[in-house]
Amino acid sequence: MSKPRNPQAEQMGDESMARNLAHQAEAIWPQEQRLFDRYRLEGPIEILDLGCGTGEITRRLAQRYPQSRLLGIDILEENLARARQGGDFGGRVRYAQGDAFALDCADARFDLVTCRHMSQAVPDFPQVLAEITRVLKPGGWLHLLSEDYGMLRFAATEPGFDPDRFWLDNAIAFLQSIG
């Protein structure tokens, strides 16, 4: 793994990031899973979870598509070790270390490629898109999700307090102020 390919490797491999990814998946999945309804995929499909990290979404996809076979690829072995602890769903889920810029996968292999929260973290993402296009079957689906804090929604627990407004008006403004 080279630094130019993954400039955020140190942060992404940290234990605190693993916890963060788990909470992020839990928070976003209720909204995100509805997007998969649109793809109308079923049966014995092949799925690539590119940049799978700790496998949070790979496992959710394995549950959602019970006849599917999934390959989770990440550049960091530490994340893959955590992902493998989540099980292989009867041999249907496999994890491999790989480089999104040069996937070791056959052309037109996958019915669905998920690439979540990775596009903003790698240089030259068009090169990654070219690789995704190469391994995606004609008529297949790309589930591309860039980091979007606007997807997070919170239930109001106190009268007069809107946590969504708090998040959008404060947290995002703070992040913008520090670059």
Side-chain angles (χ1 to χ4, degrees), residues 40-132:
R40 294 190 176 108
L41 293 169
E42 57 187 35
I45 61 173
E46 296 279 333
I47 301 173
L48 170 62
D49 188 7
L50 184 58
C52 69
T54 59
E56 291 290 334
I57 297 301
T58 314
R59 290 186 293 277
R60 292 170 192 264
L61 291 170
Q63 291 169 346
R64 181 177 183 83
Y65 298 108
Q67 295 177 6
S68 65
R69 291 185 347 160
L70 294 96
L71 172 60
I73 293 181
D74 201 90
I75 200 165
L76 298 176
E77 187 55 48
E78 307 89 62
N79 284 342
L80 293 169
R82 290 182 184 108
R84 290 180 186 108
Q85 292 173 359
D88 69 357
F89 289 79
R92 294 188 305 113
V93 175
R94 186 172 67 85
Y95 295 100
Q97 187 173 19
D99 184 344
F101 293 88
L103 294 170
D104 187 20
C105 299
D107 293 356
R109 175 178 169 188
F110 298 100
D111 301 284
L112 172 64
V113 174
T114 63
C115 184
R116 304 175 65 263
H117 307 293
M118 188 183 95
S119 61
Q120 74 285 346
V122 297
D124 195 19
F125 191 69
Q127 185 178 346
V128 174
L129 278 176
E131 275 297 280
I132 291 170

Side-chain angles (χ1 to χ4, degrees), residues 102-168:
L103 294 170
D104 187 20
C105 299
D107 293 356
R109 175 178 169 188
F110 298 100
D111 301 284
L112 172 64
V113 174
T114 63
C115 184
R116 304 175 65 263
H117 307 293
M118 188 183 95
S119 61
Q120 74 285 346
V122 297
D124 195 19
F125 191 69
Q127 185 178 346
V128 174
L129 278 176
E131 275 297 280
I132 291 170
T133 302
R134 182 183 67 76
V135 301
L136 194 60
K137 289 180 180 177
W141 289 94
L142 168 58
H143 181 82
L144 177 63
L145 199 64
S146 293
E147 200 69 49
D148 180 2
Y149 292 108
M151 282 187 71
L152 297 175
R153 295 289 179 239
F154 302 93
T157 57
E158 300 174 29
F161 176 70
D162 181 351
D164 287 330
R165 279 280 35 110
F166 177 81
W167 175 257
L168 294 171

